[in-house]
Amino acid sequence: MALPKVSTATYTLKIPSSGKEVTYRPFLVKEEKQLLMAMESNDTKVMAKAMSNIVSACTEEEIDMDDLAPFDLEYFFLNLRAKSIGDVIKLQMRRPDNINCCEASNEEDFCEIEIPVENINVDTSKMVDPNLKITKDIGVKLKYPRFDQVQGMATDANELKAEDIFKMIINCIDHISQGDEIYKAKDHTKKELNDFIESLNSEQFLGIRNFFEGMPRLRHDISWECPNCKKNEKITLEGLESFFG
């Protein structure tokens, strides 16, 4: 006799960058095991791959993970984790370096914070149109980098080097157009694409920079309360890692 199957609830979510609605289920023990093993590796590329695999496995519709921007995957995974583990994130946050509100304060102070996941959103109001006009006849269509590309290029200071930024831009070109002619990036070498970018003047390149600088992030404001003087300070959490610190 076959063992009984446990039914699983499903939920819907809108992808921030596209507005597309997808149906997903909470992750199961097998996916949680994969996540725990990835976290134990302390390897950002391994963790990014695990997150991508889990989101893909828990989504009912077919979804191309390469089409998800970093903030899409962060937002999706945060909501997926909420439905799997709990709708409220509980953090024990140490005193931020830029807060020194009283004589009794020290770096060991911490504040317990609870954040309902439903209150965490992605602000897409500053998104820039990916179709850029370089000249009257020449245009470029850009796409957002994948989550693993951004994670893979991050340095210990959690910033990108100039060389990495240019590599990211090259990887994020979808196509270049001239009149009715379309030149797909995948059909051209990295050197050809790099030569094109380097041929732009400062004003033309500014449009490309604005596209990436306008890329949304997972962001939420919280209030950190000093356990000594009870003064509150506003702190902005940004990026998925901030919500599991």
Side-chain angles (χ1 to χ4, degrees):
M1 181 181 296
L3 292 174
K5 291 185 177 181
V6 179
S7 60
T8 305
T10 59
Y11 305 90
T12 58
L13 173 143
K14 284 188 177 180
I15 303 297
S17 66
S18 64
K20 179 183 178 181
E21 191 170 89
V22 294
T23 304
Y24 67 99
R25 62 164 174 80
F27 56 68
L28 307 177
V29 171
K30 59 182 179 181
E31 284 108 18
E32 186 171 6
K33 178 181 177 182
Q34 181 182 357
L35 178 62
L36 291 172
M37 292 175 66
M39 292 175 66
E40 288 175 355
S41 73
N42 289 320
D43 187 319
T44 54
K45 289 185 177 180
V46 173
M47 287 188 281
K49 182 65 174 177
M51 285 173 52
S52 180
N53 289 342
I54 291 171
V55 167
S56 179
C58 295
T59 307
E60 290 197 349
E61 297 87 355
E62 282 193 22
I63 184 168
D64 187 345
M65 300 308 296
D66 289 345
D67 289 341
L68 294 184
F71 57 90
D72 287 329
L73 185 57
E74 289 181 334
Y75 180 71
F76 200 153
F77 185 79
L78 189 68
N79 281 272
L80 175 58
R81 183 186 181 278
K83 296 304 182 185
S84 306
I85 298 176
D87 289 333
V88 176
I89 295 174
K90 296 181 180 181
L91 299 175
Q92 285 196 337
M93 291 194 62
R94 290 191 180 279
R95 177 183 295 276
D97 294 336
N98 62 334
I99 295 178
N100 188 22
C101 54
C102 62
E103 293 183 359
S105 68
N106 65 77
E107 61 182 15
E108 297 301 319
D109 291 337
F110 69 88
C111 175
E112 294 185 352
I113 297 172
E114 295 189 356
I115 309 172
V117 173
E118 64 180 5
N119 292 344
I120 303 172
N121 295 299
V122 175
D123 181 6
T124 58
S125 63
K126 296 181 180 179
M127 288 176 62
V128 175
D129 190 332
N131 296 288
L132 306 179
K133 292 293 288 184
I134 302 300
T135 68
K136 181 179 178 180
D137 299 319
I138 299 175
V140 177
K141 182 176 182 181
L142 299 172
K143 55 188 178 182
Y144 289 118
R146 300 193 312 270
F147 183 80
D148 62 325
Q149 290 176 328
V150 174
Q151 294 295 311
M153 290 189 293
T155 64
D156 291 338
N158 201 30
E159 297 177 351
L160 297 180
K161 298 178 181 178
E163 181 182 357
D164 290 331
I165 292 174
F166 276 89
K167 286 181 180 178
M168 182 179 69
I169 291 172
I170 298 303
N171 289 330
C172 292
I173 296 176
D174 182 78
H175 68 255
I176 298 167
S177 61
Q178 185 173 28
D180 295 330
E181 199 74 33
I182 301 294
Y183 303 91
K184 289 284 187 181
K186 64 181 182 180
D187 297 330
H188 296 271
T189 65
K190 300 294 185 185
K191 183 180 185 308
E192 289 174 321
L193 296 171
N194 186 71
D195 289 345
F196 173 81
I197 293 297
E198 290 187 347
S199 73
L200 303 180
N201 61 39
S202 297
E203 184 178 353
Q204 292 164 341
F205 187 68
L206 180 61
I208 292 177
R209 284 183 53 190
N210 288 341
F211 172 78
F212 291 104
E213 289 175 1
M215 182 172 71
R217 288 217 71 187
L218 198 66
R219 188 179 283 116
H220 184 70
D221 292 333
I222 62 170
S223 181
W224 195 94
E225 182 181 273
C226 175
N228 305 300
C229 66
K230 304 303 179 182
K231 182 179 179 180
N232 287 284
E233 295 283 351
K234 176 184 172 181
I235 299 174
T236 299
L237 300 181
E238 186 174 270
L240 185 67
E241 64 279 358
S242 298
F243 296 93
F244 301 114

